[in-house]
């Protein structure tokens, strides 16, 4: 105890939850407090040798645990929704109120009038309660509908497994070339994923990065292709055509494992590099150089599937399908350096948890979206629409856990309107986020360092493992574990789901599948390494549909059956209206979504975001690096003030905002009003016809500086193939443009007059 | 050759994730000064000098990541890189020169061999066996001279304590003595930090230094033998040197103040509010 630093601390192996990558950790405890978090050195992913890595966020879990703003007592709203006025109430009172309200809504409007937005480990137990209530809207994960939906649908249908979803089975460590399309690994940090990326590069892998912005990954690339946003599929189709025309594909792989080659070949035959160069606004020779680099590395080439893929609403699935086709043409599936197969790790049966499968409604919200299954839940924006309109059926109560819906789902103004229409909304929260302050009841959740939770398996390379979460310290205040809350709530609702009070029982049930107990796991340092099996074994690979042997569908019949194109096609997304730039966004390495901006240490590293503006555009507008500006979108919505980052590292037709800043919750004392929220500028969205995810890159902004609205000059002309986004006639921005133009004329006159004096 | 701990930071591997900076803060309970939130966005050396004022205080950090670019280099390429920094444990530590505390004799023991030696040290000193620049917290009077002297801004005055003390990176000397590796190295997700002994010809650091790939962040004006080295693409090193190579002999102003013992007086003044 007298040793300096974290030396001599009690070490508790557990699992991180600062993001969902869930690295194995060791929490170091001194004097009853967590003083340090390190990686679990036994982990084959973030351990390895004498290292034990956690990222900046993993290191900062302590400051989530001890955040002075934490919700530590059940709260009941006393002011208006969104006003943030609450009183402390007892757990009994809070749970009674939640149960009564949910019951009342169910009895009056039926079970589907209740919806649950969830994400992360805390949300799982409560999800069972919603299933128990009988709603079909029980797992409306923004993680799917606002993030991985398109890439998941593309890869499940093309390859029969989720090559990229929560996990990425990308063997970058052994790749000879890597392609990233919009993925900004390095700024988007998942420890073992970044490790694989860096390892591959250090061993000499060539890197091609397609991104309108000069990302950290682009800075490490051999070729950076600053593509016109929304045209990635055009580039991929031209590359596919080039690869086929020049015989640069893996004939053996294609004939042995692929179906639909002729259909693809026919579909892409008009996609010349020249045509794509014009549409994508890229130099043809660079495009050619890049595809030659990738092709010459085949089959050890990693065509990264991407992850967050809800970009334009139309055509998102085709973009990822095209990436899958390219990977297959190179034979880069089930081979070192390409995409690989996860290892099946059998967990034990959950005898102590009742299995519930709610009956769907007569008019399911996901009905229009043929590919929203096999995942449960309804597209989040359909829930919001149903809440607003009462159609096809009314939704009157929401529960929220682990997701800040106002900083996650496009058009938060609409979400707020929907919340106003609800009879009841509650959240199970750690911090007083925007969602919490819009809730009627807020239940205090435990931080991952305070609870037993679940068994976590890693099923990728270089080796697999099993580990489990356990508490390092007792919960603070009145925070309660998800299992306790779910059990108490179910009891009040008159049913039982969990036939135990101990998470340990559930952990042990699952571990039994591996002939392990929690105790044995602890003796092994909290983690047991398991061999990765069949990562490159194409013959014995078993797909999600239970079929053995890899079969890649270059043309997907199931898509055709639902009147989509079986092969990827380019569907242009409208270009920015005159005077506007496209708003694009991304991650910073020290923050997770909008969750960590209030964390003392992470806030110190990165307190606010900066709006990246192309240097030529900035010069024309008279904006200097560091100037304070406001962004105004096509609907006249304005951001909080944000500093301009003037750089050649972004195209002139985009403005980039790192995601998650600009909190609107005054209860988050550090994060409140720091930087600008991209989400509050994304008011226009398009829903993907495949699975109903909503687009995030279909809003446009211009700059307001010193109260003056500045139009973005169009330095890169838009080709005729690409339609232009039309401002709604009479919309706020439309009117404002006219006003602004008039105003501008007047101002010019005035300026002249002054100069004349 | 004398032992000398050193670190090489490989900017080709570094992704600028800030894990090092936060791990160090956690390990050594480095406080946060909210007036200096956003330290990572300091753009150049002059601005950097301002953040740690000659009076001490300012930002608190032993270990940091500053972000450089994307911007064009002299050759017109675009570069985007980082300045992950820490104390350089210099060959000629100017921070030691300006310490006004009277020297005292101290016995040192090599934790590896048990070998002993005695040396006269002030409150801050270069440790005789491995060349780490350390602070004797018992004797530090918190005058802030060393903080102002360091041209790398690698020291800060921890004035959140009842008695302010200078603080800085120790290369995690205490952890190494206990068989651990430095906290920033242990957590580095990109394995961009290579730590070792320059006296060991087989160590990775000495190989990299010998090869000429790893470079000291110094200038014509400031050459005090830093033992943190940087390597990476030329365009990235160009940004690093352009913005953050030290270009002020910061310690020369401080020596005068040390002689007048203004520092001691200042410390006494700083303590006054606590007396009330």
């Amino acid at each position: 105890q007298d040793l300096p630093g974290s030396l001599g601390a009690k070490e508790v192996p557990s699992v991180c939850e600062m993001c969902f990558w869930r690295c194995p950790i060791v929490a170091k405890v001194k004097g009853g407090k967590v003083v340090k978090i390190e990686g679990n050195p036994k982990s084959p992913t973030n351990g390895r040798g004498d290292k034990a890595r956690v990222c900046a966020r993993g290191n900062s879990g302590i400051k989530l645990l001890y955040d002075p703003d934490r919700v530590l007592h059940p709260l009941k709203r006393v002011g208006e929704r969104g006003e943030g006025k609450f009183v402390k109430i007892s757990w009994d009172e809070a749970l009674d109120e939640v149960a009564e309200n949910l019951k009342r809504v169910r009895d009056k409007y039926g079970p589907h009038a209740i919806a649950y937005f969830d994400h992360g480990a805390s949300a799982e137990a409560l999800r069972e309660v919603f299933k128990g209530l009988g709603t079909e809207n029980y797992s409306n994960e923004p993680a799917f509908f606002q993030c991985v939906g398109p890439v998941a649908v593309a890869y499940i249908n093309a390859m029969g497994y989720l090559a990229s979803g929560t996990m990425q089975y990308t063997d970058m460590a052994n790749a000879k070339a890597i392609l990233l399309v919009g993925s900004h690994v390095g700024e988007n940090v998942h420890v073992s994923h970044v490790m694989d990326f860096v390892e591959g590069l250090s061993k000499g892998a060539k890197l091609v990065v397609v991104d309108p912005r000069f990302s950290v990954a682009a800075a490490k690339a051999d070729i950076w292709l600053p593509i016109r946003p929304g045209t990635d599929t055009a580039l991929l189709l031209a590359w596919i055509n080039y690869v086929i025309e020049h015989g640069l594909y893996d004939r053996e792989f294609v004939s042995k494992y692929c179906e639909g080659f002729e259909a693809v070949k026919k579909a892409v035959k008009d996609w010349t590099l020249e045509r794509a160069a014009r549409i994508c606004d890229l130099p043809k020779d660079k495009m050619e150089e890049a595809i030659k680099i990738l092709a010459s590395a085949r089959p050890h080439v990693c065509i990264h599937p991407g992850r967050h893929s809800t970009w334009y609403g139309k055509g998102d699935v085709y973009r990822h399908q095209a990436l899958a086709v390219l990977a297959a043409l190179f034979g880069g599936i089930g081979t070192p350096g390409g995409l690989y197969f996860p290892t099946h790790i059998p967990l034990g049966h959950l005898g102590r948890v009742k299995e519930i499968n709610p009956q769907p409604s007569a008019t399911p919200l996901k009905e229009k979206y043929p590919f929203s299954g096999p995942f449960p839940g309804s597209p989040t924006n359909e829930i919001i629409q149903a809440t607003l309109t009462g159609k096809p059926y009314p939704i009157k109560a929401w529960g929220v856990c682990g997701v800040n819906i106002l900083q996650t789902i496009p058009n938060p103004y609409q979400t707020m309107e929907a919340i106003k229409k609800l009879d009841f909304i509650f959240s199970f929260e750690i911090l007083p986020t925007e969602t919490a302050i819009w809730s009627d009841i807020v239940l205090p959740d435990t931080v991952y360092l305070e609870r037993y939770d679940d068994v976590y398996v890693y099923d990728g390379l270089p080796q697999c493992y099993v580990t489990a979460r356990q508490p390092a310290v007792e919960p603070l205040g009145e925070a309660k574990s998800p299992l306790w809350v779910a059990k108490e709530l179910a009891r009040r609702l008159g049913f039982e789901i969990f036939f135990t009070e101990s998470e340990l029982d559930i952990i042990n049930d699952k571990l039994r599948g591996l002939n392990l107990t929690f105790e044995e796991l602890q003796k092994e340092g909290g983690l047991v390494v398991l061999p990765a099996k069949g990562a490159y074994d194409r013959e014995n690979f078993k797909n999600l549909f239970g079929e053995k042997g890899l079969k890649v569908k270059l043309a997907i019949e199931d898509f055709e059956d639902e009147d989509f194109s079986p092969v990827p096609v380019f569907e242009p997304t409208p270009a920015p209206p005159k005077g506007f730039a496209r708003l694009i966004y991304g991650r910073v390495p020290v923050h997770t979504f909008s969750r960590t901006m209030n964390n003392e240490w992470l806030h110190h590293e990165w307190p606010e975001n900066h709006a990246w503006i192309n240097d030529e555009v900035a010069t024309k507008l008279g904006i200097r690096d560091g100037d304070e500006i406001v962004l105004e979108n096509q609907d006249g919505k304005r951001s909080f003030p944000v500093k301009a980052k003037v750089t050649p590292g972004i195209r002139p037709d985009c403005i980039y905002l790192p995601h998650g800043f600009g909190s609107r919750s005054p209860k988050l004392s550090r994060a409140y009003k720091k930087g600008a929220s991209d989400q509050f500028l994304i008011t226009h969205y398009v829903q993907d016809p495949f699975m109903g995810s909503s687009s995030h890159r279909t809003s446009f902004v211009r700059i307001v500086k010193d109260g003056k609205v500045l139009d973005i000059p169009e330095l890169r002309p838009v080709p005729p193939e690409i339609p232009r986004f039309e401002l709604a006639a009479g919309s706020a921005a439309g009117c404002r443009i006219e006003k602004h133009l008039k105003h501008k004329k007047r101002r010019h006159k005035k300026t002249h007059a002054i100069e004349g004096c | 050759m004398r032992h000398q701990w050193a670190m090489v930071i490989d900017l080709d591997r570094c992704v600028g994730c800030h894990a090092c900076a936060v791990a160090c803060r956690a390990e050594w309970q480095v406080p946060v000064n909210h007036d200096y939130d956003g330290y990572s966005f300091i753009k150049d050396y002059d601005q950097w000098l301002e953040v740690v004022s000659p009076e001490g205080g300012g930002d608190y950090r032993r270990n940091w990541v500053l972000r450089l670019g994307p911007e064009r280099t002299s050759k017109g390429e675009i570069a985007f890189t980082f300045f992950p920094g820490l104390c350089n444990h210099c060959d000629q530590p100017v921070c030691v020169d300006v310490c006004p505390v009277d020297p005292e004799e101290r016995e040192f023991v090599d934790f590896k061999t048990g070998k002993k030696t005695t040396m006269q040290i002030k409150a801050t000193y270069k440790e005789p066996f491995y060349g780490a620049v350390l602070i004797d917290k018992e004797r530090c009077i918190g005058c802030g001279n060393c903080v102002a002297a360091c041209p790398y801004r690698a020291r800060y005055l921890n004035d959140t304590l009842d008695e302010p003390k200078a603080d800085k990176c120790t290369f995690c000397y205490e952890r190494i003595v206990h068989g651990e590796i430095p906290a920033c190295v242990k957590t580095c997700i990109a394995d961009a930090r290579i730590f070792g002994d320059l006296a060991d010809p087989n160590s990775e650091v000495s190989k990299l230094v010998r090869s000429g790939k790893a470079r000291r962040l110094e200038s014509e004006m400031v050459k005090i033998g830093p033992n943190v080295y940087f390597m990476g693409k030329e365009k990235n090193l160009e940004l690093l040197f352009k913005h953050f190579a030290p270009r002020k002999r910061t310690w020369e102003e401080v020596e005068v103040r040390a002689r007048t013992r203004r520092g001691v007086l200042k410390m006494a003044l700083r303590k006054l509010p606590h007396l009330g």
Side-chain angles (χ1 to χ4, degrees), chain A residues 436-452:
Chain A
I437 65 172
W438 277 84
S439 298
D440 300 332
I441 297 282
V442 185
L443 307 175
D445 190 4
T446 38
V447 167
Y448 63 98
L449 296 162
E450 296 171 321
R451 64 169 191 261
Y452 287 100

Side-chain angles (χ1 to χ4, degrees), chain A residues 554-584:
Chain A
L554 301 177
I556 300 169
E557 269 173 44
D558 287 354
F559 286 1
E560 202 170 13
D561 292 346
E562 298 291 346
D563 296 329
F564 295 109
S565 166
V567 291
V569 289
F570 172 56
E571 292 197 324
T573 189
K578 284 272 162 87
F580 286 81
R582 186 181 302 276
L583 175 68
I584 58 173

Side-chain angles (χ1 to χ4, degrees), chain A residues 3-7 28 35-39 41 50-56 59-60 62 185-187 189 191 194-195 197-199 201-202 213-216 218-221 224 589-590 600-608 610 612 615 625-626 645-649 670 674, chain B residues 11-30 32-34 36-41 43 59-61 63-65 67-72 78-82 174-175 178 180-181 183-193 233 235-236:
Chain A
L3 293 173
S6 70
L7 292 163
K28 302 178 90 173
V35 295
K36 181 103 190 284
I37 296 168
E38 293 176 356
D50 56 358
K51 303 289 291 285
R53 304 157 182 88
V54 274
C55 68
N59 270 292
S60 300
I62 297 164
V185 183
E187 285 156 295
V189 169
V191 174
V194 173
M195 285 170 66
F197 174 65
V198 173
E199 190 182 340
L201 294 184
S202 73
R213 184 178 65 95
F214 194 71
S215 60
V216 165
K220 298 192 185 299
W224 171 47
V590 314
E600 186 181 32
W601 290 343
L602 298 175
H603 182 88
H604 178 77
E605 296 300 315
W606 211 305
E608 61 192 320
H610 298 74
W612 291 41
D615 51 357
D625 192 51
K645 178 182 173 75
V646 174
T647 171
R670 289 192 188 91
K674 287 285 173 65
Chain B
L11 296 179
D12 282 351
R13 297 188 73 107
C14 178
V15 294
C17 79
H18 298 238
C20 46
V22 182
C24 176
R25 196 173 289 285
E27 182 68 41
W28 301 113
Q29 299 101 48
V30 179
V32 165
N33 185 348
H34 290 289
Y36 291 88
D37 278 346
Y39 186 85
S40 331
F41 295 100
K43 289 193 186 94
D59 185 61
Y60 309 127
R61 72 272 155 289
N63 189 307
W64 58 86
V65 177
R67 306 182 72 83
L68 318 176
E71 67 178 65
R72 286 199 194 278
I78 301 186
F80 185 10
T81 191
F82 314 101
E174 305 86 333
R175 283 170 62 93
H178 288 92
E180 269 283 5
I181 60 175
C184 59
V185 178
K186 183 161 183 164
T187 208
C188 180
I189 69 170
D191 293 348
R193 290 172 172 253
K233 290 193 186 79
K235 64 175 185 177
N236 292 333

Side-chain angles (χ1 to χ4, degrees), chain B residues 157-229:
Chain B
L157 195 71
N158 187 352
D159 50 17
T160 66
L161 303 170
D162 289 344
E163 288 181 36
K165 302 281 181 193
D167 197 17
K168 65 181 283 294
C169 159
T170 62
F171 265 156
C172 278
Y173 184 91
E174 305 86 333
R175 283 170 62 93
I176 293 169
V177 167
H178 288 92
E180 269 283 5
I181 60 175
C184 59
V185 178
K186 183 161 183 164
T187 208
C188 180
I189 69 170
D191 293 348
R193 290 172 172 253
I194 304 139
F195 177 76
D197 187 351
L198 287 177
D200 172 3
N202 296 318
S203 70
E204 211 182 333
V205 282
S206 56
K207 283 181 198 166
L208 289 168
V209 168
R210 266 204 315 275
S211 75
K213 273 195 215 165
R215 284 161 61 181
R216 290 177 145 171
L217 182 62
E218 55 187 5
S219 67
E220 281 305 312
M221 191 182 276
V222 180
K223 269 192 192 297
I224 55 175
N227 283 304
V228 174
Y229 292 73

Side-chain angles (χ1 to χ4, degrees), chain A residues 223-271:
Chain A
I223 295 188
W224 171 47
L225 296 170
I227 195 165
R228 185 197 310 280
T231 65
D232 312 79
T233 311
L235 171 68
L236 293 168
L237 295 179
W239 274 349
I240 290 168
N241 188 30
Y242 187 90
V243 164
I244 294 174
E245 270 191 345
H246 292 79
L248 298 175
Y249 59 98
D250 186 326
R251 280 166 209 279
E252 197 197 326
F253 182 89
V254 169
S255 68
K256 208 167 166 191
Y257 300 106
C258 299
E259 288 169 359
F261 178 75
E262 289 305 320
V264 167
K265 185 179 172 182
K266 199 174 148 206
V268 299
K269 72 177 176 15
D270 295 331
W271 278 102

Side-chain angles (χ1 to χ4, degrees), chain A residues 176-183 197 201 204-227 235 239 282-296, chain B residues 77-78 233 235:
Chain A
K176 290 187 175 158
I178 301 167
L179 170 67
L180 299 178
V181 178
S183 294
F197 174 65
L201 294 184
K206 298 283 182 196
L207 175 64
V208 174
V209 171
V210 180
D211 198 317
R213 184 178 65 95
F214 194 71
S215 60
V216 165
K220 298 192 185 299
D222 296 274
I223 295 188
W224 171 47
L225 296 170
I227 195 165
L235 171 68
W239 274 349
L282 291 171
K284 187 201 148 212
D285 57 334
K286 283 277 171 199
M287 290 165 52
E288 189 167 7
E289 196 188 334
I291 192 65
K292 280 182 176 166
I293 286 175
L294 297 173
S296 65
Chain B
E77 296 173 289
I78 301 186
K233 290 193 186 79
K235 64 175 185 177

